[in-house]
Amino acid sequence: MSVKIKTGLEDAWDLHPNKLIVMILEGTDIGRGKALEGCQVKVVVERDGKSTKTIAKTKAVKTKAGVSQVEWNEIFFLSDISDADYLAIEVEDSRSMGSKNLGRQLVSQVQTIQPCDEVVDTMVLLNYKGEKPGEGIQGKVHVRLLYSSHPESVSRMEEPDPMKLTYNHFFDNFKTGDLISYGGHGIVSAVTRVVTNAPWSHCGIILRLPNRYTRRDELFVAEFGTNVDGLSDAFNNGKYQWGLNVFRLFERLHQFHGSSIWWSPLLIPVDEARLRATLPWITTIYNFYKAANKNTKEAAKSFNDAFKKQDPNVLFFKANPARPFLASLVGEKNMNYADIAALASGYFVNELLVKLGIIRGDEYLGYPTPKRIVCLRCYGPPALIGARARYWTPSMLPETVKAAMVGVNDPNYKTTGSDTKRMDLARRILFSIGH
């Protein structure tokens, strides 16, 4: 059923083994242009083709005659979903004299939502069984789904589910400024991916830095988020829970618990002098969250004070497009900034790229989500370098996708900042390994 989380986001994902995120965006040609008093969408499950149960419903929206589109933009976290359940979408007009059915459609059996752990964006055609001749398909509803049976943390896995890594194909090309993007598990990751309609929940940036002990250069990945698996931070013996972490790159790749890992090469060389000048800024952020982890309550209090003062250094949390949906699930008072730290991963990478002189601060409009970062013109096409082994059958991959995975551009792909082209490439890769 639709879950209203009462205790906060921590552990919400692991309350039940099977989870479903459903986002209802908008409807088109609902009711064939007639005025609607209270148009709403119901998410319904069927069992054995007989019993039905409404597990979520949107708010009722009033429209005028002739209006072809109805917008809801609501998201639901459905926990304890059975694989045997069939998912259906129903639309009705709630009126003062009763409700009128405007259409219904069976979407899918839950276990057949593919690829698993990835966003499925679809238009549901409504079938209306009216009394008049010719009444059939009556509008459509834009829906996004993400179904998962994975826990948020690897420590809660009942059986091993290893990651198939293919970074050896372009290991020699890894360098400072390259982007590492992740498709993570958990409520924050899932909502981020559904809201942005992308496979990426958070991201980090590769840095070549001296090892603190040997002083030899190594590859690290700096990323802003919540360290749910307690990985060792390269510059501290402890294991920070949230904020800015700096991991050894290959340890991070091998220890990541999620559905996918992607690498995007930076197309513009990083100036070493600017990198050295930027390191103190990174250190300042790192030390701030190092202190915040020692007293999370005080840190949360300072964040609340900063919000009231409109401090630009922390307002990026509120500006993230996924944040209102998370707040709708738990309530504003239960928003723990330690739990939603990953929302700022794209913001951190964006600011670092500005300081390195790779992009201008005013070059891109809108909040820098992981999807927007992946689609920046300064990066090449994203290549999949890690996926869950149980979805992995290389023989299934088309030749163009195999080429993209080993770092060779699709011959039909031009390196641009187009969201559409990059998302098409990413989806072709995911759907090829997901079936």
Side-chain angles (χ1 to χ4, degrees):
M1 61 178 294
S2 181
V3 176
K4 184 72 173 180
I5 305 168
K6 298 179 179 180
T7 58
L9 296 172
E10 186 179 8
D11 298 326
W13 189 252
D14 296 330
L15 290 174
H16 299 285
N18 300 319
K19 287 82 58 172
L20 179 65
I21 298 286
V22 178
M23 185 174 186
I24 309 295
L25 289 95
E26 76 279 339
T28 305
D29 297 326
I30 304 294
R32 298 189 175 183
K34 296 179 181 179
L36 302 174
E37 294 183 22
C39 186
Q40 66 177 174
V41 179
K42 291 183 178 181
V43 181
V44 179
V45 291
E46 285 187 1
R47 290 175 184 166
D48 303 322
K50 298 178 181 179
S51 60
T52 61
K53 181 180 180 180
T54 299
I55 56 176
K57 60 182 178 179
T58 66
K59 296 177 181 178
V61 177
K62 186 175 182 179
T63 66
K64 297 180 180 179
V67 175
S68 62
Q69 186 160 306
V70 185
E71 293 189 359
W72 292 283
N73 286 322
E74 294 188 47
I75 199 164
F76 304 97
F77 174 41
L78 308 173
S79 188
D80 197 20
I81 296 294
S82 169
D83 277 348
D85 287 344
Y86 282 82
L87 196 68
I89 296 295
E90 295 182 355
V91 181
E92 67 178 22
D93 186 18
S94 299
R95 302 180 177 183
S96 57
M97 300 299 290
S99 299
K100 179 182 178 181
N101 182 274
L102 297 177
R104 186 180 192 277
Q105 187 59 268
L106 196 65
V107 178
S108 171
Q109 189 173 15
V110 171
Q111 65 182 359
T112 63
I113 296 175
Q114 293 292 335
C116 188
D117 282 303
E118 298 297 343
V119 180
V120 177
D121 186 79
T122 185
M123 298 297 293
V124 178
L125 298 178
L126 298 175
N127 185 26
Y128 175 67
K129 296 181 180 179
E131 299 178 356
K132 298 179 181 180
E135 289 185 329
I137 299 300
Q138 185 161 316
K140 52 190 176 182
V141 178
H142 188 186
V143 178
R144 288 184 195 147
L145 309 168
L146 187 150
Y147 174 68
S148 177
S149 59
H150 276 87
E152 182 171 11
S153 172
V154 68
S155 63
R156 297 183 179 180
M157 287 290 295
E158 295 181 0
E159 297 180 3
D161 190 14
M163 179 80 72
K164 174 70 175 180
L165 295 170
T166 59
Y167 64 76
N168 56 303
H169 294 292
F170 25 69
F171 166 82
D172 293 335
N173 296 322
F174 287 173
K175 62 186 181 301
T176 292
D178 287 357
L179 187 70
I180 300 293
S181 307
Y182 308 91
H185 296 314
I187 186 70
V188 175
S189 293
V191 170
T192 297
R193 290 195 281 159
V194 170
V195 170
T196 59
N197 191 23
W200 310 292
S201 59
H202 57 291
C203 58
I205 194 166
I206 293 179
L207 298 173
R208 183 178 290 277
L209 301 170
N211 182 290
R212 63 183 299 205
Y213 299 111
T214 67
R215 308 310 298 170
R216 295 178 180 176
D217 282 357
E218 289 185 18
L219 291 175
F220 300 88
V221 57
E223 57 188 74
F224 203 99
T226 304
N227 186 7
V228 294
D229 289 319
L231 304 182
S232 296
D233 187 282
F235 291 91
N236 182 71
N237 293 328
K239 299 173 181 178
Y240 295 144
Q241 294 302 308
W242 68 293
L244 180 60
N245 283 274
V246 181
F247 302 114
R248 290 181 178 85
L249 175 60
F250 299 108
E251 287 183 5
R252 176 58 165 156
L253 297 182
H254 281 270
Q255 295 175 1
F256 173 68
H257 173 67
S259 60
S260 61
I261 309 175
W262 305 73
W263 167 70
S264 302
L266 184 65
L267 304 177
I268 304 172
V270 173
D271 181 78
E272 288 297 323
R274 294 198 71 149
L275 175 60
R276 289 193 297 271
T278 303
L279 290 178
W281 175 77
I282 298 175
T283 302
T284 299
I285 296 177
Y286 183 89
N287 289 336
F288 174 84
Y289 288 99
K290 177 181 176 181
N293 272 265
K294 294 179 180 179
N295 194 331
T296 302
K297 289 184 178 180
E298 285 299 317
K301 182 180 179 181
S302 68
F303 269 104
N304 284 324
D305 291 340
F307 281 138
K308 293 176 181 178
K309 298 176 182 177
Q310 298 293 297
D311 187 336
N313 292 319
V314 295
L315 285 177
F316 52 76
F317 277 109
K318 281 198 170 181
N320 188 290
R323 189 183 183 281
F325 295 98
L326 290 166
S328 71
L329 293 174
V330 300
E332 189 69 34
K333 294 182 179 179
N334 290 327
M335 289 291 283
N336 186 326
Y337 301 109
D339 295 333
I340 64 172
L343 294 182
S345 67
Y347 186 94
F348 168 75
V349 171
N350 187 85
E351 291 300 294
L352 182 53
L353 291 174
V354 171
K355 291 184 179 297
L356 292 174
I358 303 299
I359 63 174
R360 301 193 312 271
D362 59 349
E363 188 171 354
Y364 300 99
L365 300 176
Y367 189 87
T369 62
K371 174 182 175 180
R372 282 184 176 271
I373 298 298
V374 170
C375 294
L376 290 177
R377 289 190 293 269
C378 61
Y379 284 116
L384 184 69
I385 62 172
R388 285 291 151 205
R390 62 172 163 166
Y391 307 134
W392 187 272
T393 307
S395 61
M396 295 181 180
L397 298 177
E399 290 302 318
T400 53
V401 175
K402 289 180 183 178
M405 289 181 57
V406 297
V408 180
N409 287 352
D410 182 333
N412 297 318
Y413 184 93
K414 294 182 180 179
T415 303
T416 69
S418 167
D419 286 25
T420 302
K421 290 183 178 180
R422 300 221 169 165
M423 291 305 301
D424 284 346
L425 174 62
R427 288 201 176 94
R428 276 193 289 122
I429 294 174
L430 288 173
F431 274 81
S432 294
I433 69 168
H435 286 80

